Amino acid sequence: MFVADAPTTSSSAFSQTSDIARRFHAGVAPRDASRCSLCALQALCNPADLNAEELEQVDSLVAEVRSVQRGASLFRANDPFHSVYVLRSGSFKTVVMHREGREQVTGFQISGEMLGLDGIVHGRHLTGATALERSTVCVIPFEPLEDACRAIKPMQQHLHKVMSREIARESNMIMLLGTMRAEQRVAAFLLNLAERYGTRGYSATEFVMRMTRSEIGSYLGITLETASRMFSKLQQDRLVHARGKQIRLLDTEALARL
Amino acid sequence: MFVADAPTTSSSAFSQTSDIARRFHAGVAPRDASRCSLCALQALCNPADLNAEELEQVDSLVAEVRSVQRGASLFRANDPFHSVYVLRSGSFKTVVMHREGREQVTGFQISGEMLGLDGIVHGRHLTGATALERSTVCVIPFEPLEDACRAIKPMQQHLHKVMSREIARESNMIMLLGTMRAEQRVAAFLLNLAERYGTRGYSATEFVMRMTRSEIGSYLGITLETASRMFSKLQQDRLVHARGKQIRLLDTEALARL
DNA sequence: CGGTGCATTGAAGGCTATCAAGGTGGGTGG
DNA sequence: CCACCCACCTTGATAGCCTTCAATGCACCG
């Protein structure tokens, strides 16, 4: 195995081990799990310029750190909306239900990313969130969060950026689905995943995809067979090395040029 | 002509004229253009439960009411982000630039809807906004708006809903692009447009689309030829009456069933 | 060791893109 | 006022990408 398994695995598995990754593996999480001020993910999910007192306030926003089993739901479509969630470790998919029971994956989330914002409009979740592996999340009740955003300006700006980032992400997705062909979609998907792993201190060229071909296909608007074929094609063209869920990017520039 | 032209046309053009539509045509806009408290669109772009003093504050957020010619840009991709915009009359398209100069339409906006939120993340606009007809917008500098959101809770909640609505809208779009075939996409597009016109007091069954087939195609991830063919097919099947940009929905339930 | 879920690969067909040729309508200038 | 022009729309023929249906392989697990 040459790839990061989860934030809880040994750091030796990483080809590039950044500061963030090291802090991940220093064992911070278990004790004081709900103290943001001690969390390695702080840089990802908190505003940068908080003073001690403000950090204290942020700490108290986290009502709970919850563990979610693989396959379990954090929330389902149509559930009442009370909280947003920050993914501390593991990964999720968000899914919308089509009529006739068909479902579409609208996103994959990894550590440091936020879940549940879609519930604000109608007070109900529009998507469902399912863990792709055993994961832990910080539960942040939304009303207190809004209160904190009125009191602390950097906090407010941060929330707005998070929401705006989600808008931008979806815009990108719309462009992908609207203009790219299957091979380009898969390439873009891999590059995006790689970049996000890189940001978190993991290797940006070797990783394990926690999602199935079917979920990838659903996300990319193609069938699982087409997704599989594209992985095979990219491998044949020596752009990636793909063995099931283990991925190594061999030529990221060529991938981007597709 | 059996269809509303723009908010400034005579109300006799509407088959159903609601209260909002009537207020549109009462001539409120020209005088005191920047007074939200007097604006017919208030219900759409302001929180419901503001007291007089708070409304006063909201009024002062609008730095300017700007008129935009057909084809002109409100902002372009990569422009620095300073303000968000509420569309007072007319319509816009938002566009992202692909490499190689190709562009994709990511949304159409009509009166009461907000533009520019995509700029918050990076301080630069990711999309460009172009007027599809002569339009007027309220320019709302974002920093003062954030300030107001910290001071006035309903205001904050409203902004969050607007942003969340945008996230939900894009989620829907992702589902459309990921799972629907051309005919379904066009049907969904028409139903969505109809609903939004309906909300604004216009007829939900008869309207003029301000965008070209090419723009519709780009938005829906299909070619303009396919879009045109689908309009023809829907007409042949007696679900709509389409003559160029003039549209009448004949069987909305059948459209939804597609 | 068979069962199950997931991944891969092949063959055929359908949907949509592409290329191409009119058709239509609104605007402009003579 | 009318003819022309240009942008936009419609429609046809063909090609190609992707889906669908099907069979097989592979890893994990009770």
Side-chain angles (χ1 to χ4, degrees):
Chain A
M1 257 225 302
F2 47 81
V3 169
D5 205 334
T8 47
T9 55
S10 151
S11 68
S12 66
F14 300 91
S15 40
Q16 296 181 337
T17 309
S18 78
D19 186 52
I20 292 180
R22 263 188 231 104
R23 290 168 68 193
F24 264 133
H25 305 291
V28 171
R31 210 154 37 93
D32 280 316
S34 69
R35 298 294 301 274
C36 297
S37 43
L38 298 177
C39 178
L41 284 169
Q42 198 194 128
L44 291 173
C45 78
N46 269 352
D49 45 356
L50 293 185
N51 60 38
E53 184 192 343
E54 288 167 341
L55 251 177
E56 198 81 7
Q57 257 186 281
V58 174
D59 277 355
S60 68
L61 288 177
V62 179
E64 177 192 354
V65 176
R66 190 182 302 169
S67 180
V68 186
Q69 296 298 324
R70 174 196 163 100
S73 289
L74 192 54
F75 50 85
R76 294 170 192 275
N78 213 34
D79 276 0
F81 165 75
H82 296 302
S83 306
V84 295
Y85 307 86
V86 173
L87 187 42
R88 186 184 264 271
S89 72
S91 51
F92 276 80
K93 64 172 176 180
T94 47
V95 170
V96 292
M97 262 310 186
H98 211 235
R99 58 192 175 191
E100 307 133 32
R102 275 173 52 193
E103 64 177 36
Q104 153 125 12
V105 175
T106 56
F108 299 110
Q109 292 79 29
I110 63 177
S111 55
E113 295 177 340
M114 198 176 274
L115 286 154
L117 291 172
D118 65 297
I120 301 174
V121 211
H122 296 107
R124 292 189 168 278
H125 286 288
L126 302 171
T127 66
T130 307
L132 297 177
E133 60 191 307
R134 194 172 179 295
S135 305
T136 53
V137 298
C138 299
V139 182
I140 304 176
F142 191 63
E143 271 218 42
L145 175 60
E146 277 190 324
D147 294 341
C149 285
R150 285 201 310 284
I152 308 172
K153 187 171 178 180
M155 199 65 205
Q156 177 197 34
Q157 293 177 327
H158 188 71
L159 177 63
H160 289 168
K161 283 202 181 181
V162 169
M163 296 181 77
S164 178
R165 186 178 301 128
E166 179 63 14
I167 293 175
R169 183 191 76 81
E170 293 193 340
S171 270
N172 270 326
M173 206 56 214
I174 288 173
M175 199 202 65
L176 180 146
L177 292 170
T179 68
M180 293 185 180
R181 285 173 306 122
E183 186 183 20
Q184 298 174 307
R185 295 186 192 193
V186 173
F189 167 72
L190 289 175
L191 288 173
N192 174 265
L193 218 52
E195 193 209 321
R196 285 152 70 197
Y197 279 125
T199 304
R200 277 149 192 79
Y202 300 107
S203 167
T205 54
E206 295 182 19
F207 48 88
V208 172
M209 302 182 294
R210 314 312 298 207
M211 59 295 283
T212 66
R213 295 289 188 268
S214 172
E215 287 162 341
I216 294 172
S218 171
Y219 179 59
L220 296 177
I222 57 182
T223 60
L224 71 95
E225 292 96 330
T226 299
S228 178
R229 274 185 253 271
M230 292 307 124
F231 277 110
S232 298
K233 180 168 191 310
L234 289 176
Q235 171 143 271
Q236 204 173 340
D237 295 348
R238 302 257 184 280
L239 300 187
V240 311
H241 180 86
R243 187 162 179 78
K245 287 174 174 160
Q246 303 186 355
I247 285 285
R248 184 169 38 184
L249 306 190
L250 301 177
D251 190 343
T252 55
E253 290 176 15
L255 283 173
R257 272 196 303 271
L258 285 180
Chain B
M1 256 223 308
F2 47 80
V3 169
D5 203 334
T8 48
T9 55
S10 151
S11 67
S12 67
F14 301 90
S15 41
Q16 296 181 337
T17 308
S18 78
D19 186 51
I20 292 180
R22 264 187 231 104
R23 290 167 67 194
F24 263 134
H25 305 292
V28 172
R31 215 158 29 96
D32 278 316
S34 68
R35 298 296 301 273
C36 298
S37 41
L38 298 178
C39 177
L41 285 168
Q42 198 195 126
L44 291 172
C45 76
N46 270 351
D49 45 357
L50 294 184
N51 59 38
E53 184 192 346
E54 288 168 341
L55 250 179
E56 198 80 9
Q57 257 186 281
V58 174
D59 278 354
S60 68
L61 288 177
V62 179
E64 177 191 355
V65 177
R66 190 182 301 171
S67 179
V68 185
Q69 296 298 325
R70 174 196 164 99
S73 290
L74 192 55
F75 50 83
R76 295 168 192 278
N78 213 35
D79 275 359
F81 166 75
H82 295 303
S83 307
V84 295
Y85 307 85
V86 173
L87 188 42
R88 185 184 265 271
S89 71
S91 51
F92 275 80
K93 64 172 175 181
T94 47
V95 170
V96 291
M97 260 311 185
H98 211 236
R99 59 193 175 189
E100 307 137 31
R102 276 173 51 193
E103 64 177 39
Q104 155 126 6
V105 175
T106 55
F108 298 110
Q109 293 78 29
I110 63 177
S111 55
E113 297 178 338
M114 198 174 275
L115 285 155
L117 291 172
D118 64 298
I120 300 173
V121 210
H122 296 108
R124 295 190 166 277
H125 286 287
L126 301 171
T127 67
T130 306
L132 297 176
E133 60 190 307
R134 197 175 178 292
S135 305
T136 55
V137 297
C138 298
V139 182
I140 303 176
F142 191 64
E143 271 219 43
L145 175 61
E146 276 191 324
D147 294 341
C149 285
R150 285 199 310 284
I152 309 172
K153 186 170 179 180
M155 198 65 207
Q156 178 197 34
Q157 292 176 327
H158 188 71
L159 177 64
H160 289 168
K161 282 201 182 179
V162 168
M163 296 181 76
S164 177
R165 186 178 301 129
E166 179 62 14
I167 293 175
R169 184 191 73 82
E170 293 193 339
S171 271
N172 271 326
M173 205 58 211
I174 288 173
M175 200 203 64
L176 180 146
L177 292 169
T179 67
M180 294 185 179
R181 285 172 308 120
E183 187 183 19
Q184 298 173 307
R185 296 186 191 193
V186 173
F189 168 71
L190 289 174
L191 288 172
N192 174 265
L193 218 50
E195 192 210 323
R196 285 152 70 197
Y197 278 125
T199 305
R200 278 150 191 79
Y202 299 107
S203 167
T205 54
E206 296 180 18
F207 48 87
V208 172
M209 303 182 294
R210 312 312 298 207
M211 59 295 281
T212 66
R213 296 288 189 268
S214 172
E215 287 162 341
I216 294 172
S218 170
Y219 180 59
L220 296 178
I222 57 183
T223 60
L224 69 96
E225 293 95 331
T226 300
S228 179
R229 273 185 253 271
M230 292 309 125
F231 277 110
S232 298
K233 180 167 191 312
L234 290 176
Q235 171 142 271
Q236 206 172 339
D237 295 347
R238 302 258 185 277
L239 300 187
V240 311
H241 179 87
R243 187 162 179 78
K245 287 173 174 162
Q246 301 188 357
I247 286 283
R248 185 170 37 186
L249 306 189
L250 301 177
D251 190 342
T252 56
E253 289 175 16
L255 282 172
R257 273 196 305 269
L258 284 180

